[in-house]
Amino acid sequence: MTYEEKIRALAEYLKKSERSFAFSGAGVSTESGIPDFRSRGSGLWERVDPMKAASLSALRREPVQFYKFFMGVWESFVGAKPNAAHYALACLEQEKLLAGVITQNIDGLHRAAGSQEVWEVHGHMRSCRCLACSKLYPFDALLDQYRSGTNPPRCSQCGGMLRPDVVLFEDAMGEDFYKAYQALSGCQLLIVVGSSLQVYPAASLPELAKTLVIVNREPTPWDVRAGLVINEKMAGQVFTDLMTVLGLDFLGVGHRA
C-alpha cells in the first residue's frame, strides 16, 4: 500500500469501529520539543542505563545525581505545547471516533490539547510527594526547591525527600494502568502512536484490541500483529493527513473544548 492508501485505510478503520482508543508513547511528543528515550541514535537510554538512572533505588541511593540528571529532562517539558497529533486525537474524541487516549507520556500534552478521557499509565508531572510521610505537593514545589539550590528537594512537613508522581523503574504501576486495562475491554481498534512497544507491562495492552494500527517511525515487536503499520511520516503529519481525509478541522480543538 502507498502512504496515501494507508491514510484512507486508517480513516475507514475509525469510521467502522464502534470502540476505538489511541495508545501513545514518546514519539507523539517529539514534535513538541520533548526528547525521546528509545529512538535509535538519539534516545536517552542509548547513553544511560535506565535501571541505573531512572529507578526507585537510584533515587534512594544517589538522590543528588538522580535530580541532576532528570531536572534537565523535566525542565524541557516546561512550556512545551501540544502538536498536531495531540490536537487530532482530541478532536477524534470529540467527534466520538475515539473513546480516549492511553499514554505512556508524563508530559500532560494530551490533556492540554483537549482530550478528556486520558489514562496516564506512567504517571504525570502535575504533582510530587514525600517518600517519608506521603504528603502531596504541586510539581512546581519540587522544581522551585531544586532551582533555588536544594537538592534533593525536601518535604516542608517532615523533611523527607520528595519524588515526582511518575512511575520509575522498580515502581508498581499506578491506578491509571489498571483503569486503562478495564477500559480496553471490548476494544475494536487500538491506534498505537509513537511507541516502541518495548516497555512492559504497558506494552502488553495491545493484546486487548481486536484490530491494531501502529503509527511509529521505527518497527515495533507488534508490527506482525497489526492490521496496518504506518512509519513513513512523523505522527503530526500522519494525523494531519488523516484529519484531511476525514474532513475534520482539528487545530486548536483544545481551545474550543
Side-chain angles (χ1 to χ4, degrees), residues 23-26 37-38 45 54 74 77 101-108 118-127 129 163-178 180 195-205:
F23 177 91
S24 74
F37 283 73
R38 291 185 178 271
W45 296 151
W74 293 335
F77 293 13
V101 177
I102 301 158
T103 184
Q104 296 172 288
N105 298 338
I106 62 173
D107 52 43
V118 182
W119 294 271
E120 297 164 311
V121 298
H122 289 162
H124 54 77
M125 293 179 60
R126 292 185 296 278
S127 61
R129 56 193 160 90
R163 62 153 294 168
D165 278 331
V166 300
V167 176
L168 302 174
F169 289 96
E170 301 171 348
D171 269 332
M173 294 299 287
E175 184 179 8
D176 268 20
F177 173 77
Y178 300 101
S195 175
S196 63
L197 294 176
Q198 295 181 36
V199 180
Y200 283 82
S204 67
L205 293 175

Side-chain angles (χ1 to χ4, degrees), residues 79-154:
K81 304 295 183 184
N83 62 55
H86 296 107
Y87 284 122
L89 292 171
C91 181
L92 291 171
E93 182 187 358
Q94 288 189 8
E95 296 294 326
K96 310 300 183 186
L97 292 170
L98 277 185
V101 177
I102 301 158
T103 184
Q104 296 172 288
N105 298 338
I106 62 173
D107 52 43
L109 293 181
H110 286 296
R111 293 179 185 273
S115 290
Q116 300 298 307
E117 293 294 333
V118 182
W119 294 271
E120 297 164 311
V121 298
H122 289 162
H124 54 77
M125 293 179 60
R126 292 185 296 278
S127 61
C128 60
R129 56 193 160 90
C130 176
L131 278 170
C133 72
S134 300
K135 180 177 173 61
L136 285 172
Y137 295 87
F139 192 81
D140 283 349
L142 186 154
L143 282 177
D144 291 345
Q145 283 197 48
Y146 183 84
R147 288 167 174 167
S148 66
T150 301
N151 182 17
R154 295 289 180 180

